[in-house]
Amino acid sequence: MGSPLSLLVVESDTQEVYRLIREIKTHGFSPLYQVVSSWKDWEERVVEEDWDAIVCSMDWQDGKTAQDLLADLRQKNLDIPFIVVAKDSVLNNALQVMRAGAADIIEHSSLFRLPLVLERERRELVYRREKEITTNYLGESLREIQFQKFALDQATIVSITDASGIITYVNEKFSSVSGYHKEELIGQSHRILKSDDKTLEEWKEMWEVIQKGKVWRGEIRNIKKDGNFFWVDTTIVPFSAPDGSIFQYIAIHHDITNRKLAEDQLTHDAFYDSLTGLPNRALFLARIEQRISEYNLNSKGFPIVVSVNIDNFKRINNSLGNESGDDILRIYAKRIVSVSGGNATVTRLGADTFAVLVVDFLSLNEANDFANKLLDYLKEIIPYNGYEIYLTASSGIAAFGMAGKEAEEILKNAEIAMFHSKESKIGTVSNFSQTMQEKIHYQLEIQNDLKKAIERNEFVVYYQPIYDLKEKEIGHWEALVRWKHPKKGLVPPVDFIPMAEDSGLIVPLTKYVLDDSCLFVNEVSFVTEKVSVAINLSAEVFQHQNIFHWIVDVHNKTGIPFTSLQVEITESLAMKNMNETIPILSNLRDLGVKIALDDFGTGFSSLSYLEKLPLSTVKMDKSFLNNVVPGSKEALLLISIIHMAHDLGLKVIAEGVEDKIQFDLLADYKCDMIQGYLIAKPMALQEAKEFVKDFKPI
């Protein structure tokens, strides 16, 4: 359970509210919050509760500005910390709000300070209220303080000194906290506590304030008798004789040691990774900026960032558990630090991603040598609880200048280079190049446009015919989705299908393909009686588990027979969770829907699994047709797969057939159906109808 926090959020954008609350929750708070989106809301809710803080977006406007809200707080005499969230473009306006009385400004793109500021302002609000009560009470008279001495002794650290600062009285609380007996303190000055957190100038300013008869407030770090330190929040009240001279000072202290330790911990947590103790991303970026400044001043310490990601680390967590995974990450962190040297800064950026800022190299060649040496060391066996863990890592390098001149840009480009290594060949090192950035920008553009494409109906479904070798006819088709981008033209499926799967957009996209396929069946059935369509299912759609209901609904709406539909799944999808996979597939098969296993032979290819799945068809990957000539090992393998499938009662479709030689071999080997450019490329609905009408058996 996190620390409760009563929060009033002034923001018009719901998504921004969620972003703020998510950032606050990740730092251990349990915010109870209300959202103000209009002036009417503000009037009702600002007095509704005793808020710990108000967080106001500079973008919020409802005929009133942030300054108006501050003015309203003053008019209502409400003491509530007012924190502004502002984008770079309006920071100057935010500074005006700060001058008007706002507690702090938080930069919109980097909210990591927000929880720290909220914690600070909440504490200061509590202490302000306590101080106000205490100070007002002390201001009445020394006689009243003495009258309430017992109560103060129980809850507050109290000391009294004469005009020269010599201690004349301390209560029991003062003795217990400091570790000194009363007799050791009386007659001494507060120097006995060896307060070492302030300069001589600061002590001088304090004495100037109280000698003028004014109250001084501040925080002081003292040293106990046993050598440990303790922090106190102190109010010193001077008392004057009838002639106006100061004759004594009463100091009221609150022990805030736990608070200061918590602040130190919060500061540490804000800049260091809790698992490895390494600097986190924020501190790492600050170190890069520092090195860039030093380099710009004296051309020393050329900044180079090396990003490192452990390959396939997820399998460690899956096989050994998250706790063991954390242990392995700590070992990795120590190895990276040991190789990097004292002048380097090592950070953990994410779950299994690290980065190193090196400044001792004069060229990329040296950085590459370092990165390769690091990857070689990281490949060494890790003995762990009786296991020998072997892991590789991939790396990317970005240098100041060629990969940018700002810290964020250099780090981002190092990560881009690292991802390039993972895509090209894991366990290798890549230097950032402009080509990589262009590729990433292209992918980001595709990703951003993907949702709009579904909303704007930019997708079309093409259909590739499948030839029945026995019946010598086209009766079956595969539905293949294509994206007609308004600017980029036809976007290849390989560029957008993975992104659609990652973002969850594959679910509505598959629903669209299913609906279009039913239209295709109805249209083509006017030309030929035999027509069925295969639809590819990704893991995300399959796990959605609504595919069964989709097919029932579309059957009820369009009247197409269930037997006119086939779903194609991959081996990895089918075997990911057999307990869930088999019932769903069995329900579809019972309706009459055909089930095909796509890309057979490229995944697990376990006969025991194959026998359990309710399949009707297997589709052989086109790689099986490579180098196939009669009598070759490849030919024997092909024949074996076809015979095995037939023995299990399954039909076989060969994909990627492009020439007559392959066609004739597959016919001789008793393959059931073929699909490929030899028959036809994927085509739109109208073209498909014409194709069927004019098709001549091969």
Side-chain angles (χ1 to χ4, degrees):
M1 184 71 180
S3 175
L5 183 71
S6 177
L7 198 62
L8 190 63
V9 181
V10 184
E11 174 59 73
S12 305
D13 188 338
T14 303
Q15 293 302 316
E16 286 300 316
V17 174
Y18 291 156
R19 194 168 80 97
L20 289 169
I21 298 303
R22 184 170 61 249
E23 182 69 24
I24 295 168
K25 284 184 176 180
T26 58
H27 285 76
F29 289 101
S30 294
L32 302 172
Y33 66 97
Q34 290 282 347
V35 179
V36 169
S37 57
S38 68
W39 176 253
K40 182 181 178 183
D41 289 346
W42 168 267
E43 286 281 90
E44 292 175 356
R45 291 176 180 162
V46 74
V47 294
E48 192 173 68
E49 227 179 285
D50 192 11
W51 303 104
D52 289 326
I54 297 170
V55 178
C56 177
S57 169
M58 282 294 292
D59 289 341
W60 181 86
Q61 287 190 357
D62 186 35
K64 302 286 184 179
T65 65
Q67 289 96 322
D68 294 329
L69 301 187
L70 272 170
D72 190 59
L73 284 178
R74 286 194 296 272
Q75 186 177 350
K76 289 181 169 64
N77 199 28
L78 295 175
D79 183 13
I80 306 173
F82 192 88
I83 301 164
V84 178
V85 177
K87 297 177 181 175
D88 282 340
S89 57
V90 294
L91 277 179
N92 287 335
N93 294 337
L95 287 172
Q96 293 177 7
V97 181
M98 190 81 174
R99 295 188 190 100
D104 212 327
I105 302 172
I106 303 297
E107 210 279 317
H108 173 271
S109 64
S110 180
L111 298 177
F112 76 92
R113 285 186 60 246
L114 179 57
L116 296 175
V117 171
L118 285 170
E119 177 65 22
R120 181 196 73 201
E121 291 301 320
R122 182 171 66 173
R123 288 195 304 269
E124 291 185 1
L125 180 61
V126 171
Y127 292 134
R128 278 202 306 275
R129 290 171 179 173
E130 288 181 355
K131 283 183 179 181
E132 182 179 357
I133 294 170
T134 305
T135 303
N136 289 339
Y137 186 75
L138 291 173
E140 292 180 5
S141 68
L142 177 60
R143 183 185 62 81
E144 291 183 4
I145 291 177
Q146 294 294 340
F147 187 72
Q148 299 292 337
K149 174 179 175 298
F150 178 77
L152 284 172
D153 279 352
Q154 302 307 305
T156 312
I157 304 167
V158 180
S159 62
I160 301 175
T161 68
D162 62 17
S164 301
I166 301 302
I167 298 172
T168 59
Y169 168 82
V170 294
N171 67 348
E172 292 294 339
K173 189 96 172 176
F174 196 109
S175 293
S176 64
V177 170
S178 68
Y180 288 97
H181 295 295
K182 286 186 178 182
E183 295 75 14
E184 296 176 285
L185 294 167
I186 293 174
Q188 300 286 334
S189 73
H190 279 85
R191 292 190 183 91
I192 191 173
L193 299 176
K194 303 171 186 173
S195 306
D196 61 352
D197 65 313
K198 298 188 183 301
T199 65
L200 290 175
E201 187 63 32
E202 287 173 321
W203 288 120
K204 181 181 177 183
E205 289 175 2
M206 182 201 77
W207 274 104
E208 286 177 354
V209 170
I210 61 177
Q211 285 174 345
K212 290 176 181 177
K214 296 179 181 179
V215 175
W216 181 89
R217 300 178 182 88
E219 295 177 353
I220 302 172
R221 188 175 77 169
N222 294 321
I223 306 296
K224 297 182 181 183
K225 186 176 180 180
D226 63 8
N228 292 317
F229 68 83
F230 68 102
W231 283 89
V232 286
D233 183 29
T234 299
T235 300
I236 302 176
V237 181
F239 283 83
S240 304
D243 63 359
S245 62
I246 305 296
F247 71 91
Q248 69 177 6
Y249 303 98
I250 295 182
I252 307 296
H253 315 273
H254 295 279
D255 188 346
I256 58 170
T257 305
N258 289 337
R259 189 194 96 191
K260 297 298 286 188
L261 291 174
E263 285 179 352
D264 290 344
Q265 187 62 48
L266 281 171
T267 302
H268 182 274
D269 292 346
F271 294 105
Y272 290 88
D273 175 50
S274 59
L275 179 67
T276 63
L278 295 174
N280 65 9
R281 190 183 193 94
L283 182 54
F284 189 70
L285 287 169
R287 295 277 174 84
I288 299 174
E289 290 288 1
Q290 178 186 354
R291 291 297 190 178
I292 290 173
S293 297
E294 291 172 359
Y295 178 77
N296 287 333
L297 286 173
N298 53 35
S299 297
K300 291 182 180 179
F302 186 67
I304 298 176
V305 173
V306 180
S307 178
V308 180
N309 179 265
I310 306 173
D311 300 320
N312 302 315
F313 185 74
K314 190 180 292 185
R315 66 184 174 88
I316 296 295
N317 286 332
N318 292 340
S319 58
L320 299 181
N322 291 335
E323 187 175 341
S324 297
D326 289 347
D327 289 341
I328 301 300
L329 286 172
R330 292 187 190 97
I331 294 171
Y332 247 73
K334 290 178 181 176
R335 287 189 172 188
I336 295 173
V337 170
S338 68
V339 174
S340 300
N343 290 333
T345 301
V346 181
T347 182
R348 178 172 174 244
L349 296 172
D352 52 5
T353 302
F354 298 83
V356 185
L357 169 64
V358 290
V359 293
D360 295 332
F361 303 142
L362 300 177
S363 69
L364 279 175
N365 287 338
E366 290 183 79
N368 274 274
D369 290 342
F370 162 76
N372 281 301
K373 177 184 175 183
L374 176 60
L375 297 191
D376 286 342
Y377 183 41
L378 294 177
K379 282 193 292 188
E380 292 186 7
I381 297 294
I382 300 174
Y384 181 79
N385 289 348
Y387 296 97
E388 290 189 340
I389 309 296
Y390 175 80
L391 290 168
T392 62
S394 300
S395 179
I397 298 175
F400 173 74
M402 292 174 284
K405 295 186 177 180
E406 300 292 334
E408 189 79 52
E409 185 181 11
I410 296 170
L411 178 55
K412 177 192 70 176
N413 289 337
E415 291 180 292
I416 288 174
M418 177 268 290
F419 285 120
H420 177 79
S421 295
K422 294 182 79 69
E423 288 180 2
S424 303
K425 185 181 179 182
I426 61 171
T428 59
V429 178
S430 296
N431 294 323
F432 172 77
S433 68
Q434 197 62 36
T435 304
M436 295 178 193
Q437 192 172 49
E438 290 169 0
K439 180 181 178 182
I440 292 293
H441 285 166
Y442 173 78
Q443 291 173 339
L444 287 174
E445 288 176 359
I446 292 297
Q447 190 172 4
N448 291 334
D449 291 345
L450 193 56
K451 186 175 181 181
K452 298 175 186 175
I454 293 177
E455 295 170 353
R456 297 171 181 172
N457 295 320
E458 293 173 4
F459 289 98
V460 294
V461 184
Y462 282 14
Y463 298 88
Q464 187 170 31
I466 299 173
Y467 182 67
D468 190 314
L469 285 163
K470 182 179 179 182
E471 302 296 332
K472 299 186 182 301
E473 63 183 9
I474 301 294
H476 191 57
W477 303 73
E478 180 178 3
L480 301 164
V481 68
R482 298 290 185 265
W483 180 6
K484 287 190 173 180
H485 194 285
K487 294 181 179 178
K488 302 182 187 302
L490 205 62
V491 179
V494 69
D495 284 357
F496 69 85
I497 291 295
M499 294 183 186
E501 291 175 339
D502 290 342
S503 63
L505 293 173
I506 194 68
V507 175
L509 187 56
T510 302
K511 182 68 167 60
Y512 170 77
V513 173
L514 175 62
D515 292 340
D516 197 271
S517 297
C518 293
L519 174 65
F520 177 87
V521 169
N522 279 334
E523 288 289 323
V524 177
S525 63
F526 288 113
V527 182
T528 176
E529 291 184 6
K530 290 185 179 181
V531 54
S532 64
V533 178
I535 300 156
N536 291 282
L537 298 185
S538 69
E540 287 72 17
V541 174
F542 197 73
Q543 289 166 1
H544 199 261
Q545 297 189 14
N546 275 343
I547 186 65
F548 178 85
H549 301 292
W550 287 356
I551 290 177
V552 171
D553 289 345
V554 82
H555 163 79
N556 293 335
K557 289 177 183 177
T558 64
I560 69 163
F562 290 117
T563 52
S564 293
L565 292 175
Q566 175 171 295
V567 293
E568 293 187 3
I569 59 173
T570 61
E571 292 180 59
S572 58
L573 184 158
M575 295 161 198
K576 189 171 186 179
N577 189 337
M578 295 290 286
N579 292 331
E580 292 183 4
T581 302
I582 292 175
I584 297 172
L585 294 177
S586 297
N587 288 338
L588 290 172
R589 181 194 60 186
D590 292 343
L591 290 177
V593 177
K594 302 179 185 69
I595 314 294
L597 192 63
D598 199 10
D599 297 333
F600 178 72
T602 61
F604 298 94
S605 303
S606 170
L607 289 179
S608 61
Y609 286 150
L610 195 61
E611 194 173 14
K612 292 176 184 177
L613 293 169
L615 302 173
S616 58
T617 306
V618 293
K619 298 185 73 174
M620 285 192 304
D621 187 73
K622 62 182 180 181
S623 61
F624 283 99
L625 297 178
N626 295 338
N627 305 317
V628 174
V629 294
S632 66
K633 290 181 180 179
E634 290 80 7
L636 292 174
L637 178 60
L638 196 59
I639 294 170
S640 297
I641 292 173
I642 293 171
H643 287 173
M644 177 196 66
H646 287 165
D647 290 342
L648 293 172
L650 306 175
K651 290 190 174 183
V652 180
I653 299 176
E655 295 183 286
V657 180
E658 297 182 353
D659 57 51
K660 192 66 167 59
I661 295 174
Q662 293 174 334
F663 178 92
D664 292 338
L665 281 172
L666 289 165
D668 290 343
Y669 297 158
K670 306 302 179 185
C671 185
D672 299 289
M673 288 172 273
I674 64 169
Q675 178 181 355
Y677 282 8
L678 177 67
I679 306 302
K681 294 181 178 181
M683 60 191 79
L685 170 60
Q686 193 57 41
E687 187 181 355
K689 290 167 68 174
E690 297 296 326
F691 177 82
V692 173
K693 188 186 300 182
D694 300 335
F695 182 74
K696 299 292 188 296
I698 300 176

